[in-house]
């Protein structure tokens, strides 16, 4: 956006490519900030602003794109600026990355308020049978054993470094009883 554009009104359009969709935000003010853009995108896609990543937008000063950056601070790409209908039109194309809230996987283990679920897909029994009671008892025993197991840390994690857990044989707990 050049300063020598005179007193012509400015019209900004943002075009986001999101998967197979194209989302267009037209007639935006140069004072609109990225936070407001993300709120508008949320209304159209149901992707929360904290989950949105706008790829392909850059500022004139090469600063990082934050929620406070205004559209007037963005650097247009070549051929993105045109003059028509007595105003200057600027179009910014970018890629939107983000998942709609209803598609976000929530790990049930992170919530203590959920009821216990018995995984009985591999079993062929009815509630109240001996197989059912044995399965419930096994689950209770496993829960008690897990809660009473002491974990010994051999080497403390290094502060600020990622932690990698390597489990070569996929055995986390060995429940075999050796007599």
């Amino acid at each position: 956006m050049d300063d020598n554009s005179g007193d012509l009104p400015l019209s900004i359009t943002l075009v986001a490519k999101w998967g197979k969709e194209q989302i267009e935000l037209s007639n935006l003010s140069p004072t609109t900030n990225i936070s407001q853009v993300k709120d508008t995108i949320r209304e159209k896609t149901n992707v929360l602003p904290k989950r949105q990543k706008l790829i392909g937008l850059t500022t004139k000063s090469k600063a990082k794109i934050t929620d406070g950056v205004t559209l007037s601070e963005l650097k247009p790409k070549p051929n993105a600026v045109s003059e028509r209908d007595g105003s200057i039109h600027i179009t910014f194309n970018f890629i939107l990355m983000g998942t709609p809230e209803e598609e976000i996987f929530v790990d049930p283990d992170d919530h203590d308020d959920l009821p216990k679920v018995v995984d009985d897909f591999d079993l062929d029994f009815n509630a109240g049978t001996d197989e059912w009671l044995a399965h419930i008892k096994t689950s209770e025993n496993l829960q008690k054993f897990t809660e009473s197991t002491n974990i010994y840390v051999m080497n403390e994690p290094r502060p600020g470094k990622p932690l990698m857990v390597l489990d070569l044989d996929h055995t986390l707990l060995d429940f075999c009883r050796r007599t």
Side-chain angles (χ1 to χ4, degrees):
M1 293 175 267
D2 299 330
D3 293 332
N4 60 3
S5 59
D7 294 328
L8 293 176
L10 186 60
S11 173
I12 298 177
T13 301
L14 294 176
V15 179
K17 184 173 183 334
W18 183 52
K20 295 179 181 177
E21 293 182 46
Q22 191 164 328
I23 301 160
E24 185 172 316
L25 308 177
S26 302
N27 298 322
L28 298 171
S29 165
T31 59
T32 303
N33 64 32
I34 296 296
S35 178
Q36 293 166 322
V37 169
K38 286 182 175 183
D39 287 338
T40 305
I41 290 173
R42 179 187 46 78
E43 293 170 10
K44 293 180 178 266
T45 64
N46 202 25
V47 177
L48 293 179
K50 69 179 181 179
R51 299 197 191 283
Q52 295 176 20
K53 183 162 185 166
L54 312 181
I55 301 170
L57 297 177
T58 56
T59 61
K60 295 175 188 173
S61 64
K62 307 254 192 273
K64 182 181 175 193
I65 300 288
T66 61
D67 287 348
V69 171
T70 62
L71 299 183
S72 63
E73 298 174 54
L74 296 179
K75 179 181 178 184
K77 293 186 174 150
N79 302 324
V81 181
S82 64
E83 184 178 333
R84 54 180 198 261
D85 303 328
S87 65
I88 297 179
H89 296 274
I90 302 174
T91 302
F92 293 98
N93 292 302
F94 65 97
I95 297 171
L96 170 64
M97 297 284 295
T99 304
E101 198 59 24
E102 64 271 5
E103 294 178 20
I104 299 293
F105 171 77
V106 177
D107 190 351
D109 291 338
D110 294 341
H111 299 281
D112 296 331
D113 57 340
L114 297 176
K116 291 286 183 192
V117 176
V118 176
D119 180 11
D120 62 351
F121 288 116
D122 296 333
L123 304 173
D124 186 25
F125 55 72
N126 295 315
T129 63
D130 290 339
E131 290 106 356
W132 175 267
L133 296 173
H135 178 70
I136 296 297
K137 188 66 174 168
T138 302
S139 295
E140 290 171 357
N141 288 341
L142 179 61
Q143 182 71 26
K144 288 178 191 173
F145 181 81
T146 303
E147 290 171 357
S148 67
T149 301
N150 292 325
I151 298 175
Y152 300 98
V153 177
M154 295 170 55
N155 295 306
E156 289 293 325
R158 299 174 295 167
K161 300 289 183 181
L163 178 65
M164 182 177 88
V165 177
L166 183 60
D167 179 22
L168 295 177
D169 64 358
H170 305 289
T171 301
L172 297 177
L173 295 172
D174 186 2
F175 294 102
C176 295
R177 291 189 181 180
R178 292 184 175 40
T179 55

